[in-house]
Every structure is written in C-alpha cells, then in structure tokens.
Amino acid sequence: MLKEDFDEPEEEFVQTEEEVEHEIERLRLALEVTYREILKLQKQMEETAGAEEAEIFETHLLIIQDTTIFDHVTRQVRDRKMRVDAPFYSYMQRQIQALRGKSDPYLRERFLDIKDVTQRVMRHLRGELLETPMFDHPVIIVAHDLTPSDTVQLDRRMVLAFAVETGSPVSHAAIIARSLGVPAVVRLTGISEQLHSGDPVLLDGDRGVLTAFPSAEALSDLQARQVRAKERRQETDIARDKPAILKNGERVTVGCNAEFLDEVPMIQACGAEEVGLFRTEFLFLARPDAEEGWQERAYREVMDGVAPRRVIFRTLDLGGDKVASGMDAAAEPNPFLGWRGLRLSLGRPEMFRAQLRALLRAGAGRRLGLMFPMVTTVEEVVEARKRVDACLAELSQEGVPPPTELKVGAMIEVPGAALVAAQLAQHVDFFSLGTNDLIQYTLAVDRLNERVADLYQPTHPAVLQLIHRVIQAGNAAGIPVGMCGEMASDFRLVPLLLGLGLRDFSVATAQVARLKQLIRLCDPAACAALAERVLQMDSASEVLTVTLEVAQEQFGRSAQVAAGSSRLMWQD
Ligand code: PEP
Ligand code: MG
C-alpha cells in the first residue's frame, strides 16, 4: 500500500515538439512499469493468499489498460505543450470525484482503486521506486534513497547504475553497487526532483558525476576514458593471480566481500584468495521465509562455486538499516543502537539455529568460516559458540559429518569490543574489523547521514588507535585479524593499514586485483614508520596528509594519490 497522497502537481510547460514527445514517452513508460508492477503483485498475492484474494488487482489492471487515460492526457500535452504530470493527475482526480458521488457502494469503492493506480503512476513519473521495479531494457536508477531491501529486489541484469540523493559511500546500497561492479553516485541532493523517468543521463561512478542530457562531446569523452580504463584493467588483470607479497617477502591475504549467489563467477575471476565476508542477510532479505534446507543449498552453492577458496559466512546482520518485512526492528527509535546483528540472532533462537545448521550442513566435509556481527560482549560470543557447538552435536547425531576445518570469528565493529579484544581473543579463532560500523560508533556519526558526513573520518586518531589495539590483541593471542569494512578498499590508506600491522584485507571483487598490485609496491618498514608517526597525531586531517604523502612515495608513478577522493587516479 502506498503511504502518501500526492499534492496536485503544478502545471509545467515545455518548448519544443521533441520535449512534447519526450513527455508522452514518460507517460507511456510510467503506465507500462505500473502495469507490470501490479501484475507482479497479483502473482505474489496469488502465491501467498490464493487466486481469490489476488483478484483485487484485476480492477487495477483494467484501469491501467484503459486507453482513454493515455489518449486524453496526451491530447492535453500536445495541445498545451505541457509536462504530463499535471494533466494526468487532474484527469484521474476527475474520475475519482465522479465515483465518489455514486450511490452504488460497489462503484463508490472503486475510487480507491483509481487512487492507488494514480499514486503508483505518479511515483513512477517522479522517478521514485515502488515495490519491485521491473525493466525490459537497461536503465539507470535515480531515486531519493535505496534501502538494502530495495536493492536486493532490483533486476540486476537491467540496472546499469544507481544515483541516489542520500546515503554515503558506506551505505549498503553503495556497498552492493561496488560488489556487483555497478557504477553508483550518492548524495545527489534534489536529483529525483530535477529528472524525470526516461530522461537520458550519463553516470560516471569513478568521478561521482551524473550528467543529464549529455552532449555528444561528453559522451565521446566518456567513451575515450572507458577505453583507457579497460586497458588499465587488462594490465592489472595480468597480475591478479600473483600473490600479494610485500617488498620484504611477507605475504598479505587479499580476499573479497560478497552478498549474492550470482557473484560466484566474479569471485572466481577476481584473484581473491578467499571470501573474507559473505553477508548472508542479503539472501535472507530477498527471501525472509527461507527455511533451513533452502539456506543450506544457497550456502553450498557459494562454497562449491568458489572452491577451493574458503568462504567466511557472516551470520545474519539484520536490524539497523537491514530490515526484512515482518520484522518489528524498524519501529525502534535508534535501530543502529538497537536489536541488530548477533543480538537479534541470539534473541531469535529458532532463526539462528536454522542458519547455523544450514551453514554447518553446507560446510560438512569442507573448510568453513563463520563470524558474528556486532559483537559487544564476551558473554555474547560465549553464548553464540555454545549454539554452534549444540548444532554440531545435533548434526553429528543425525549423521552429518563436521567441516574439515571450522573457524569461528568475531567482527569488531563496536568500540567496546575493540577495547576488550584481548579478552574476546580467548574465545574466537579470528577477528574481522568491520570499519564501516566501527567508525560510526567510535565517532558517533551515522554512516548514512550526509549532514555529518565530514565527521565520518577513517583516519581519526581514535579509530586508528582502536584498529591498532585489535591487531595487537590478535597478534598476542596468535589469531589472524582481517579487515572487511570499506576502509580496507580506500587504496590511499593501504600503507597506513599495513603499517598498523594489517595482513588480511577483504574488499569488493572489482578492487582485489588493484589492491594486490599496490600491496606489492609497499615497503613494510616505511609503512611501520608511518603508523608510528600517525599514532602520535591529534587530528584526522593531519594523519591524512602524511598518509597520502607516504602512499604516493610507495606507489610511485603507478597511481596518483588525490586528497579529495578515496579513489586513486590511475596514470594514463
Ligand atoms: C562493517 O561494518 O564494516 C561491515 C563490514 O559490515 P556492514 O557494512 O555490513 O555493516
Ligand atoms: Mg557492520
């Protein structure tokens, strides 16, 4: 059901015949997408509630197929050279008013159907996402926001790129875009008001730029850059299967992050040594009713697909911004400080048990990694491990063999967990630094809130001290410490992270080969000297300045380190 009523749109006029035709095409597209959306809802309803219940959508479909709507509105658009929004809205309002006055209760009720269809079409005209958009041709999505559940429902074969008004580079929409190699630009304030469905746009994810109605010159400039980028990718790809070895011969592990089954071919091809983070909640968001058997098959498909590489599955990190339908977590006043991650799994024993059993069954006779998100206390980890042990015992009774190797880890995303890392290390086999959350919780800066984005500082001395502390605690206890947050893929920070002692990175598949290439250029002694210096510094900007200088020295001419962007500019 739609949440909002629309205010009457203002009449807007266009100048040329071409613009008139463009408006008509927008209407055609909005009607078409709405039609397919309703069909899909009808099908879903049929599957979940039965054919009779699904019939309510028949009227919606009939309304949308009524050609008088299209004929009437396009006539107005042509005669008065207008944008379609106002004539469409006022025509539909007139139909609604006419039905409201009927004495027949059946007809009176139909006004609600017309209202619903009107709102759906209006949202498509405004370029806003609704339910599950389906496209039969490639599109660039421009939206106010994309929630993680919006993102998992998109038809990824058809989505060329995203542009959203809100969010941040560490929002889940951006992380998913990176995982899938889909260009994305965030924080384009006002963009969904300025553009209309069907407008041609050019999106440059490398530079974070979206150009509406691009000129021929802009197009050819982009094409030339694409050719250069492809050549550079080929150069990097040659080296992607070589190990990431530092100048002193020390080996660094470079793994990748993933969320979806269809990433398997990219994982195989990217040069990653393992999957350092598989975010299982995205499978769950797409199918919240998934029972143990379905989950087991999905996890096994990932493991078999990427073998012989190991996969570290993160148990469900629901809550925060990752809210499945039917979860009441959304009602919390501060969801990021609420019932999320391991807390939620421990509080829903049946859900957690089904996931652990599915993971252990899928991992039977294989190497398996598991890790828990949002760990805060030692007790939580002890309890979670008990649940793993209980599932292992159950499965053994059922004759399911255990994994040949089972490593159980804790994500360090909460400052409190970082401070008790030495104690936590006694109960786990590895740590994985989730810096996306660690930064937000250390600095009290919502990772999604663009108003405080300047304060989201990976190089803040407090963040670096926590990272350093966790690595030292891991080393002292003899357990590996990885980093799977986006900080690991800000290439400019690679020498600093190496200097802090990090030897295990996990990044989006598209970044693996370049990261390995850059690590090979680094001298660990220079990196350690950098870390020693910055740990004495007072401010994030001071740390960033020297970090960029050292990164430039280490990378030499291979890459140009730029202050304003977390991306490196590659030498052409
Ligand atoms: C993190 O917090 O760094 C992390 C990897 O988890 P997510 O981005 O899914 O919260
Ligand atoms: Mg996290």
Side-chain angles (χ1 to χ4, degrees), residues 56-120:
I56 55 165
F57 290 110
E58 267 319 302
T59 326
H60 292 63
L61 291 172
L62 287 174
I63 297 168
I64 205 91
Q65 281 171 299
D66 179 355
T67 52
T68 54
I69 302 176
F70 186 78
D71 294 346
H72 181 92
V73 179
T74 51
R75 204 170 321 122
Q76 284 253 343
V77 169
R78 286 214 162 91
D79 292 351
R80 300 184 56 207
K81 283 209 171 148
M82 298 179 77
R83 287 205 179 276
V84 290
D85 309 54
F88 172 77
Y89 184 85
S90 62
Y91 179 78
M92 298 305 273
Q93 284 303 315
R94 284 202 297 281
Q95 311 309 309
I96 291 171
Q97 294 311 333
L99 283 176
R100 267 188 170 146
K102 296 277 183 215
S103 53
D104 178 338
Y106 175 80
L107 285 179
R108 237 185 9 241
E109 283 298 297
R110 298 286 66 75
F111 93 86
L112 280 175
D113 297 327
I114 304 194
K115 194 170 164 199
D116 191 46
V117 169
T118 307
Q119 289 183 342
R120 287 180 183 279

Side-chain angles (χ1 to χ4, degrees), residues 170 172 175 257 277 279 281-282 314 317 321-322 336 340 411 413 433-438 447 484-486:
V170 288
H172 284 102
I175 289 173
N257 298 345
L277 162 65
R279 291 180 165 95
E281 62 276 6
F282 285 89
R314 173 171 79 182
D317 185 19
D321 58 338
K322 289 175 284 199
F336 272 113
R340 82 164 276 215
M411 287 195 69
E413 305 177 273
L433 284 153
T435 49
N436 306 338
D437 280 316
L438 186 61
R447 66 196 255 191
C484 60
E486 295 302 299

Side-chain angles (χ1 to χ4, degrees), residues 90-211:
S90 62
Y91 179 78
M92 298 305 273
Q93 284 303 315
R94 284 202 297 281
Q95 311 309 309
I96 291 171
Q97 294 311 333
L99 283 176
R100 267 188 170 146
K102 296 277 183 215
S103 53
D104 178 338
Y106 175 80
L107 285 179
R108 237 185 9 241
E109 283 298 297
R110 298 286 66 75
F111 93 86
L112 280 175
D113 297 327
I114 304 194
K115 194 170 164 199
D116 191 46
V117 169
T118 307
Q119 289 183 342
R120 287 180 183 279
V121 176
M122 288 299 295
R123 289 194 70 180
H124 284 304
L125 285 172
R126 286 161 50 148
E128 294 177 6
L129 284 176
L130 191 66
E131 295 295 329
T132 309
M134 293 163 67
F135 314 100
D136 59 6
H137 55 275
V139 291
I140 292 179
I141 303 259
V142 178
H144 177 70
D145 192 13
L146 276 178
T147 64
S149 34
D150 283 333
T151 320
V152 292
Q153 289 182 50
L154 291 174
D155 181 351
R156 293 192 294 278
R157 290 160 309 165
M158 290 297 172
V159 176
L160 295 175
F162 304 163
V164 287
E165 294 202 9
T166 55
S168 75
V170 288
S171 62
H172 284 102
I175 289 173
I176 289 172
R178 220 167 283 134
S179 274
L180 299 173
V182 171
V185 186
V186 295
R187 292 198 198 128
L188 287 175
T189 314
I191 193 76
S192 59
E193 293 279 305
Q194 289 163 30
L195 289 174
H196 299 97
S197 284
D199 284 350
V201 295
L202 192 149
L203 186 142
D204 181 344
D206 281 339
R207 299 187 175 186
V209 177
L210 181 131
T211 315

